Structures are given as C-alpha cells and as structure tokens.
Amino acid sequence: MIKSMTGYGKGNLNVENRDYQIEIKSVNHRYLDISIKMPRTLGYLEEEIKKEISKKIKRGKIDVFVTFENNSQEGKNVRINKELAKIYIDRLKELANEEKILANIEVIDIAKFPDILTIKIDEEDEKIKREIIEVTKQATGKIIEMKSIEGEKIAQDLLNRINKIQNKIQEISQKSTGLIDEYVVKLEKRIQEILKSEEIDKTRLAQEVVIYADKCSVEEEITRLNSHIYQLKELIKKANNEAIGKKLDFIIQEMNRETNTIGSKANNLEITNSVIDIKTELEDIREQVQNIE
C-alpha cells in the first residue's frame, strides 16, 4: 500500500503526574527532513524521537511539537549551593555584629535567597525516555494511518488514469498498423497522377514504403510504454511500507519521453490527439506522484 506524504498524528500520555503530548505534521518534500520543537529539558531525547519516526516515515517535511509537564519528582534533583549559602550567612553575621542585633539565622531564611536552591533535571532518566518513545510511537502510528488512507485514494486515482493511458496506447497501436496500407494506396495514386500511367515501378514503390514504415513505426515505443505501465501497476499494488515516489516519478518521465517520440513520428491526426490525451493524463499522474512517499 502506498502512503501519502501529507498527514497528521497526535499522541498523549499521562503517567504519575507527567503529561506528554506529541503532534506530528507531514507535507511534501524531496527527502526526509524532521524538525522538532520541544522543551529544553527534553533536548537530550531529540535524536531518539527522530530515530523512532524515521523507522516508519521515509520521505517528507516532518514537523514535531512536543509538550511536557512534569508535576512528579521523577527526573528532578534539588541542589543546594552550599558555598553561596555560607557567603550569605557570613555576610548576615557581619551585619548583625556591626548593628548590634541578634543573628538568628534559620535555614529556611537562607533557602529563600536567590540561587540557593535549584531544580536540576536528570538528563539520563530512563523512565521519562521510555515514556517519550511510547507517546512518539503512538503519534507516529496515527499519522501513518492517515497517510495510508490518503495513499489508498491516490493509488485508485493513479490506476484509473493508467488504464485510460493503456486504452489510448491500444488505439494508437491499432491505428498505426493501418498507416502503411494507407500510405501505399496514397503513394500509388500520387505516382499515377504524376506519370499519367497505370504502370508503376514496384521495386521503387517498395523502397519508399520501407523508408516510410521505418520513419513512422511506433512499435518499439508502444512496447516500452506497455512495459512501463506494467511496472507502475506492480509498484502501486505491491508497495509495502516502501518509499516508491521517486521510482514512480522516474517511470513517468520515461513514459513522457516515449510518448513524445510517438508524437514526433505520428503522421495522423487521430494518433496526435491520442498522444495529447496521454500527455495530459501523465501530467496529472506526475502531480499526484509528488504527494507519494
């Protein structure tokens, strides 16, 4: 099943007063480009999040938004700046001696001064790491689900357009087989008009027919187009968590090249019209392929 490059997924987790939320948005991009906005306290987990997402998504511009509220004690360490506290105490005692006042200094009073107590987040907390990975998997699963649904719609549209192209190729093949016979009749008639005679040099006529047949033959191009169509259908039907967008785009380019060759060889209005129809469908397919991962 093919996947679209556009999608949205959201994951939530609440564990022991720790709230996690991860949103993932994806749009078209030539390669895989993951951008993460997250609290600085979780910055050490950025590569872990990218690694988890890249397991499931192979192409696209991915924006990830992480919110985290930690109302538990997990991952938090309260640190006391003892050296600074001692300086505060010494200065307060000096002030008490100078002013002849009591130096009743309590620990709680010192703790209120700036930079005495700080909360340090443990950047190696395994529990928070496991929970972040869990919610990342949840959000990734949601966006994959959405991308797959959209991809199924694109696949159906592509197959419909490919079938239309196949019908047009068959029409061109049938029409081109009669071009030689038509040319022989026209050439004989033209020669008779010029020479004013029923006698025609069959050898020279055969040479001219061979030259014309070589110039206007599109059998090779039709064979290659049918081969490309088979490859397209197989890729679409058998895609299994594989990024096939670039392969499809390459095949479409090759089909355009073969179609242009048929158009340049065509000496028939109906074939020319069929070529225009094929190129129109190929352009629509190419636009759709830009949305495929």
Side-chain angles (χ1 to χ4, degrees):
M1 179 185 294
I2 68 174
K3 295 194 291 290
S4 167
M5 272 197 284
T6 58
Y8 173 81
K10 183 178 179 180
N12 293 283
L13 183 65
N14 179 274
V15 183
E16 300 174 352
N17 290 323
R18 292 184 298 280
D19 290 316
Y20 303 85
Q21 178 176 286
I22 293 182
E23 293 179 89
I24 304 177
K25 298 178 182 179
S26 175
V27 295
N28 298 0
H29 197 270
R30 197 171 179 185
Y31 307 104
L32 179 62
D33 181 13
I34 302 176
S35 175
I36 301 178
K37 292 184 179 179
M38 61 194 304
R40 291 179 61 186
T41 54
L42 296 180
Y44 68 102
L45 292 173
E46 182 173 340
E47 289 305 315
E48 294 293 335
I49 294 173
K50 286 184 177 180
K51 189 185 300 182
E52 196 62 42
I53 292 173
S54 62
K55 290 179 183 177
K56 300 292 184 181
I57 301 176
K58 305 304 178 184
R59 283 181 70 202
K61 175 70 174 68
I62 314 296
D63 289 314
V64 183
F65 304 91
V66 181
T67 57
F68 174 57
E69 291 185 13
N70 187 2
N71 296 316
S72 71
Q73 296 182 4
E74 187 67 34
K76 294 179 180 178
N77 291 315
V78 178
R79 296 187 178 183
I80 301 176
N81 191 333
K82 294 182 180 179
E83 295 302 319
L84 183 59
K86 290 177 182 179
I87 293 174
Y88 276 125
I89 292 171
D90 290 341
R91 295 296 179 268
L92 290 172
K93 285 182 178 180
E94 288 178 6
L95 178 64
N97 289 332
E98 290 175 3
E99 300 298 328
K100 309 299 183 185
I101 58 177
L102 295 176
N104 296 327
I105 303 172
E106 300 289 339
V107 172
I108 191 65
D109 297 325
I110 300 300
K112 294 177 182 178
F113 286 109
D115 301 324
I116 295 299
L117 297 180
T118 56
I119 298 177
K120 182 68 175 178
I121 303 298
D122 185 0
E123 295 190 352
E124 301 298 328
D125 190 273
E126 287 298 319
K127 186 178 288 188
I128 290 178
K129 179 180 177 179
R130 287 196 302 271
E131 291 165 356
I132 277 288
I133 291 175
E134 180 182 343
V135 74
T136 301
K137 287 181 178 179
Q138 185 186 137
T140 304
K142 293 288 181 62
I143 192 173
I144 291 297
E145 183 180 344
M146 184 174 180
K147 284 157 67 73
S148 297
I149 292 172
E150 183 66 23
E152 184 63 29
K153 295 178 182 178
I154 294 175
Q156 191 56 54
D157 180 69
L158 291 180
L159 289 173
N160 290 337
R161 294 183 185 280
I162 291 168
N163 287 334
K164 290 180 182 178
I165 291 174
Q166 203 163 20
N167 291 335
K168 290 295 178 182
I169 292 172
Q170 188 174 358
E171 291 176 9
I172 291 174
S173 179
Q174 292 172 350
K175 187 63 182 176
S176 64
T177 56
L179 289 179
I180 305 301
D181 294 335
E182 290 179 9
Y183 179 72
V184 171
V185 173
K186 290 180 180 179
L187 186 59
E188 285 182 339
K189 185 177 179 181
R190 182 60 176 160
I191 292 173
Q192 288 172 359
E193 289 176 354
I194 294 173
L195 298 179
K196 306 296 183 181
S197 171
E198 297 294 329
E199 294 184 8
I200 299 175
D201 186 344
K202 297 296 183 180
T203 302
R204 183 57 187 274
L205 179 62
Q207 291 176 346
E208 291 295 329
V209 171
V210 169
I211 293 171
Y212 176 79
D214 185 58
K215 286 183 178 180
C216 71
S217 175
V218 293
E219 289 183 9
E220 291 184 11
E221 288 77 13
I222 288 174
T223 299
R224 285 194 287 267
L225 277 173
N226 284 325
S227 174
H228 293 324
I229 286 174
Y230 174 79
Q231 292 177 57
L232 278 177
K233 288 185 174 181
E234 288 298 297
L235 276 173
I236 293 170
K237 292 176 180 178
K238 296 183 178 180
N240 184 23
N241 293 325
E242 181 184 359
I244 63 171
K246 289 183 179 179
K247 291 181 181 179
L248 293 176
D249 191 47
F250 175 76
I251 294 174
I252 295 302
Q253 289 180 37
E254 292 301 305
M255 290 183 70
N256 251 318
R257 188 174 291 112
E258 301 297 343
T259 304
N260 287 333
T261 302
I262 292 175
S264 66
K265 288 183 175 182
N267 193 21
N268 178 275
L269 182 59
E270 292 181 26
I271 292 180
T272 300
N273 289 336
S274 294
V275 165
I276 293 172
D277 291 338
I278 291 174
K279 288 180 66 66
T280 300
E281 292 295 340
L282 285 174
E283 180 60 26
D284 289 337
I285 291 175
R286 192 192 66 80
E287 290 180 3
Q288 283 282 46
V289 166
Q290 305 310 309
N291 296 320
I292 296 176
E293 185 178 314

